[in-house]
Amino acid sequence: MSGTTNTIPAIGCDGNSGKAAAAGRPLPVLSSPPHIHSGVSTQKIMLLYLLSLGPSAVMGIIHYGIGAASFMATAVIGAMVTDALVSLARSRTVPAIDGSAAITGLLLALSCPPGLPLWAAAAGSFFSIAIVKGAAGGLGRNFLNPALAGRAFLLLAIPSLFRAGAQPGVFDFSLPAPDLLQELLVSHSSTWIGAVSPLAILAGAAFAFSFRLIDLMVPVLFLMAAFASLWSAHSPETLLTTPVLLHSLETLLSGGVLLAVFFMATDPVTSPSAAKGRTLYALGCGAIYGLFSAAGSTVDAPMHALLIMNCMVPLIDRSITTRFFGKKQGRSGLEVPRHE
Amino acid sequence: MIRKKITTRRGIFFKGAAKPPELFPFEILPAPPVVTIPLLQHRGPAARPCVSAGDPVARGQLIGRAEDSCSAPVHASVAGRVSGIDRYPYSSAPDAWCVTIENNGSDDFSSPIHYDKPLQESSADELLARLALSGIVDETGLPLDGMLARARQEEKVTTLIVSLLSTEPFLQAVDLLCAESAETLLKGSDLCRKILGAETCVIAVNQRKPANASALSAMLNQERFPGCSLLPISAKYPHQNPRLLLRDCTGVELPFSAPLTAAGCTVIGGEAAARVPEALVELRPCYERVVTVAGDAIASPKNLLVRIGTPVRALLEACGADFGAIQKLVVGGPLSGAAVRDFETPVTKSTTALLAFCTAFPAGSSNPCSKCRRCASVCPLRLDPARLMRQTMSREMASARASGILECIECGCCSYVCPSGINLVHWLQFGKKRSGAGESAPSGHEKVPA
């Protein structure tokens, strides 16, 4: 090899590449592997997620009119502006728009009842982004679902406005199939803007699942546990009667529980990482939802259930981890990290 | 022992894996005027040079002697004169030296492998001793003879698994082997089985590359290799990894610290197996190999048979590379290979491919982790790379070890899927180094390189 000496030059920087650079040819870039990428970026994921919320948003606008549209727009824009301001304050650089703030804003708007003033949307999204997400360290570091925490904030701040028009939906299951389908498309519930149409939520969830944005284990277990706890809240002698079963089903279809189940409970940031942990989380959510809707408000129950279980996630993540390859099967107690 | 139904969960099917591209044309690259042969082309201690500057050498002549069973001998790939023994500039190992040979064009051959008995009459030990002279290195970087010798010593190994999975994109050496020299491959596998004293030899082929399986099964149907059987696996990347392949085949998950033979099986690479007849029958040591030259900066991608020590410039020229457009040059596969910047870097025994790209991914900048869990869902070892990265950042090395950081095989799947563009595998390598080095108590919060 020409140009090599008995000293070790910096890797790849011997005389020959020097000649190449002198000849005006750019040197190949050095980096550690891998050298290819799937091409899936956070922005793409967030855009697809927004699209999967589209059907619910459109049905909300159709049902509640321009007021709902402006409420959603205010929440989304408020969230994005807050996100930009928080990023500027934290790092003094203009942040990349990754779309996560828009999702938080839209979910907040969809989880609010219709008829709230626009300033509520702005205040809620400010709380969601600045306090719940930004103060915790930004994207991926919040322990509460920001949209639901924003909703909880509004519920505490302006309870009278929240209570004004809340009415869980009523489904008449005795209707013939086409009419029932129409009821499922546009229900009469006026609880969450996004909960107008159970079918739209399911369509959005199917879209999200087809792009593997959400996993179905948590929603399915959540709904099963919720159904079980709703059902078992009835008196023992009536448990097996049809009206009781249908009433439990009706509760699940009305209110915002479907939206919460598919688009909030599946949030990877605020749910456990191990599959077993997610099972526990989903069952816990369902059970708490059943308790709250039996004892209090069906409309707010999904929010209570998710926020309570969000708080449990760090503990679940500590105690339940995936058994990695080659690890002996054994009792997995609470894993306490030893600080060196 | 070997499972009937095999599924490879976790890992990646690359785009186009269902319909792999045609084999690139095969060509023999003429020996270059000068070769630079590193004496460290395997894991373990480097070979010790046994020629000095000015010595005449023949093709195939021993130029580096193996130190022990973890080291492989190195042979001259051209006939000519040794012009120097220098520091090898592309490795930071303290014992990395290289031998430069000027080709005199005669191509005289002298075999370093002694031939005293015909193959059929030789005992396994004699075959193994001959194999040790051939310098064959498995795709894991270990000398083949050392692997087989250790497997013979340790326990009764009843099954030999030959891996022909080749799941990484671009790499075609194994496909070429199946298409062109299926017989050599099976003969080599059978010889390895005999040396090992194993009862059966299972040849794992990738179901996504049906041409490979059909070529081999046609050869196996002739019943000349009764000990060998074919095992089609719909393999995701990186299931060609020996430990993963062993789990796929037998269901046994061995930790990184356990020897591969603990499950009564041992895994060798298909390329190494195909070299065994070359060494034992043709008495030809390992001084050339097939390199796939591809990438978007290459006009006509080819599979080249190249002498060890040939500078990559010669390969690129043979395939019509646009030198001005090359933004990144990778020696090895796109997920596990190393980026190089010097076109004089020589081909070694482990150079599976040479990839020239017009774009220099990754860009180098990354967004913060959004905890989307894609890395954890793709990790073939069920690790949580993002969590291990956080533990490495905050120097919680005991927690990282408890979460299995040392099991990481550095396949690069986590970095490949990360939507935030974080090079997770780089962090895990760093974390492995940090936990292996026996970190003491952190002195305050030290800033770590991002």
Side-chain angles (χ1 to χ4, degrees):
Chain A
M1 166 160 300
S2 60
T4 43
T5 60
N6 272 6
T7 55
I8 305 174
I11 290 177
C13 292
D14 74 349
N16 294 302
S17 45
K19 274 178 229 155
R25 186 193 296 153
L27 286 172
V29 175
L30 287 184
S31 69
S32 70
H35 307 290
I36 52 174
H37 190 262
S38 60
V40 176
S41 63
T42 308
Q43 282 92 332
K44 259 187 208 174
I45 294 174
M46 297 296 178
L47 188 69
L48 287 171
Y49 207 90
L50 271 179
L51 284 178
S52 63
L53 286 174
S56 314
V58 169
M59 289 311 291
I61 292 169
I62 290 173
H63 197 66
Y64 295 115
I66 195 74
S70 53
F71 189 78
M72 281 179 215
T74 312
V76 169
I77 294 167
M80 291 176 82
V81 168
T82 312
D83 193 40
L85 290 178
V86 168
S87 302
L88 276 173
R90 280 169 54 87
S91 61
R92 296 191 182 85
T93 51
V94 181
I97 298 171
D98 60 16
S100 64
I103 290 172
T104 300
L106 186 57
L107 275 175
L108 171 69
L110 290 179
S111 67
C112 284
L116 287 190
L118 291 186
W119 58 262
S125 56
F126 176 83
F127 183 84
S128 293
I129 300 294
I131 309 294
V132 180
K133 198 173 117 183
L139 181 63
R141 308 228 174 177
N142 48 298
F143 73 98
L144 291 176
N145 186 305
L148 282 181
R151 187 188 190 276
F153 165 74
L154 289 180
L155 181 63
L156 290 174
I158 43 170
S160 54
L161 288 174
F162 252 75
R163 293 277 169 261
Q167 245 176 31
V170 183
F171 296 97
D172 188 358
F173 286 99
S174 60
L175 285 174
D179 294 345
L180 184 62
L181 209 61
Q182 200 185 347
E183 262 200 355
L184 287 173
L185 190 63
V186 186
S187 74
H188 303 295
S189 76
S190 50
T191 50
W192 291 24
I193 294 176
V196 169
S197 159
L199 277 185
I201 296 172
L202 289 176
F207 176 83
F209 179 70
S210 71
F211 285 97
R212 297 294 181 275
L213 302 179
I214 59 173
D215 78 326
L216 284 187
M217 193 184 82
V218 167
V220 167
L221 288 174
F222 189 140
L223 288 176
M224 279 164 61
F227 184 82
S229 64
L230 284 173
W231 177 59
S232 58
H234 292 88
S235 62
E237 52 272 18
T238 59
L239 274 186
L240 286 175
T241 55
T242 322
V244 165
L245 288 170
L246 286 183
H247 181 253
S248 307
L249 191 61
E250 190 177 47
T251 313
L252 282 185
L253 287 174
S254 65
V257 66
L258 279 183
L259 195 72
V261 156
F262 284 107
F263 295 105
M264 293 169 177
T266 52
D267 174 19
V269 179
T270 54
S271 61
S273 58
K276 271 184 202 160
R278 281 208 297 282
T279 310
L280 189 64
Y281 166 83
L283 294 177
C285 283
I288 296 173
Y289 166 77
L291 278 178
F292 269 87
S293 58
S297 157
T298 314
V299 179
D300 298 330
M303 180 190 77
H304 293 308
L306 274 171
L307 288 180
I308 289 171
M309 285 314 282
N310 280 170
C311 297
M312 305 294 287
V313 167
L315 190 65
I316 296 175
D317 261 345
R318 272 267 158 99
S319 48
I320 302 176
T321 49
T322 312
R323 191 182 63 86
F324 58 81
F325 188 96
K327 193 187 181 192
K328 291 249 164 55
Q329 202 115 37
R331 266 185 72 244
S332 61
L334 192 66
E335 182 200 324
V336 183
R338 276 188 303 119
H339 285 285
E340 287 169 282
Chain B
M1 174 59 84
I2 299 292
R3 298 199 291 188
K4 286 281 176 290
K5 186 164 168 16
I6 294 171
T7 47
T8 57
R9 289 166 43 221
R10 290 165 175 266
I12 296 170
F13 280 135
F14 290 98
K15 277 173 200 153
K19 194 167 172 286
E22 295 291 305
L23 270 183
F24 301 138
F26 174 72
E27 227 172 71
I28 297 173
L29 191 74
V34 178
V35 291
T36 310
I37 303 173
L39 293 172
L40 184 60
Q41 301 184 33
H42 47 264
R43 294 208 314 234
R48 175 170 296 178
C50 57
V51 287
S52 45
D55 285 359
V57 289
R59 173 169 59 100
Q61 187 182 326
L62 187 72
I63 56 172
R65 191 167 276 124
E67 292 283 88
D68 55 24
S69 68
C70 292
S71 169
V74 178
H75 305 89
S77 58
V78 295
R81 198 180 62 86
V82 175
S83 63
I85 298 174
D86 304 299
R87 272 280 175 200
Y88 183 55
Y90 310 108
S91 166
S92 55
D95 54 355
W97 294 83
C98 61
V99 175
T100 312
I101 303 172
E102 283 169 12
N103 188 359
N104 64 8
S106 68
D107 222 21
D108 295 327
F109 177 70
S110 115
S111 176
I113 306 167
H114 54 82
Y115 179 80
D116 36 17
K117 263 189 224 174
L119 212 54
Q120 285 75 15
E121 294 169 23
S122 312
S123 70
D125 284 323
E126 286 165 339
L127 289 178
L128 201 57
R130 274 191 238 166
L131 202 58
L133 299 171
S134 67
I136 299 173
V137 174
D138 186 67
E139 61 190 27
T140 52
L142 295 168
L144 182 65
D145 63 282
M147 284 173 77
L148 293 177
R150 268 191 300 282
R152 263 161 65 88
Q153 279 168 11
E154 269 171 20
E155 270 162 76
K156 183 68 188 159
V157 174
T158 53
T159 310
L160 171 73
I161 300 172
V162 179
S163 162
L164 287 172
L165 292 182
S166 180
T167 48
E168 209 167 341
F170 294 109
L171 307 192
Q172 292 196 337
V174 165
D175 309 335
L176 190 76
L177 213 54
C178 294
E180 303 286 332
S181 40
E183 191 180 356
T184 319
L185 181 64
L186 291 175
K187 210 187 265 176
S189 308
D190 206 40
L191 276 170
C192 290
R193 179 184 68 83
K194 276 179 192 151
I195 292 172
L196 204 57
E199 286 151 24
T200 48
C201 169
V202 172
I203 295 163
V205 288
N206 196 344
Q207 227 168 24
R208 303 228 150 199
K209 295 181 173 175
N212 294 1
S214 59
L216 287 170
S217 64
M219 195 59 70
L220 277 172
N221 285 342
Q222 297 172 7
E223 311 224 332
R224 285 165 53 206
F225 307 101
C228 299
S229 61
L230 212 59
L231 183 73
I233 300 177
S234 179
K236 286 182 174 178
Y237 176 82
H239 280 259
Q240 82 285 2
N241 176 280
R243 277 197 293 150
L244 292 176
L245 181 57
L246 197 67
R247 195 272 311 267
D248 294 337
C249 292
T250 64
V252 179
E253 290 186 355
L254 293 172
F256 79 101
S257 49
L260 268 179
T261 47
C265 293
T266 197
V267 183
I268 63 168
E271 284 182 77
R275 287 180 184 283
V276 172
E278 274 178 22
L280 297 183
V281 180
E282 300 168 34
L283 306 181
R284 210 145 47 85
C286 177
Y287 61 77
E288 55 188 7
R289 70 153 299 131
V290 172
V291 180
T292 307
V293 186
D296 49 9
I298 303 287
S300 52
K302 280 172 193 164
N303 288 304
L304 293 174
L305 183 67
V306 185
R307 303 288 175 94
I308 303 293
T310 308
V312 297
R313 177 193 300 280
L315 280 71
L316 293 172
E317 278 165 0
C319 297
D322 180 2
F323 279 89
I326 296 175
Q327 288 279 309
K328 186 177 255 186
L329 189 62
V330 178
V331 171
L335 278 113
S336 55
V340 298
R341 100 179 325 186
D342 192 340
F343 293 111
E344 305 304 321
T345 310
V347 168
T348 69
K349 289 174 189 174
S350 54
T351 306
T352 47
L354 181 66
L355 307 172
F357 295 114
C358 293
T359 48
F361 169 82
S365 66
S366 62
N367 298 323
C369 171
S370 65
K371 275 199 192 160
C372 66
R373 280 207 302 258
R374 276 164 194 248
C375 51
S377 70
V378 83
C379 178
L381 295 129
R382 299 190 303 268
L383 303 175
D384 187 345
R387 190 179 183 185
L388 292 171
M389 176 180 79
R390 286 196 296 277
Q391 286 167 338
T392 304
M393 278 177 173
S394 54
R395 290 187 168 237
E396 295 167 28
M397 295 329 294
S399 308
R401 270 198 296 273
S403 322
I405 194 168
L406 295 176
E407 299 286 337
C408 172
I409 56 169
E410 301 174 15
C411 61
C413 289
C414 46
S415 302
Y416 178 79
V417 297
C418 179
S420 296
I422 302 169
N423 195 345
L424 286 152
V425 69
H426 201 178
W427 274 105
L428 263 63
Q429 285 168 339
F430 180 54
K432 277 164 87 174
K433 211 160 255 176
R434 186 172 256 191
S435 38
E439 284 283 311
S440 54
S443 50
H445 191 78
E446 193 179 312
K447 185 122 177 118
V448 287

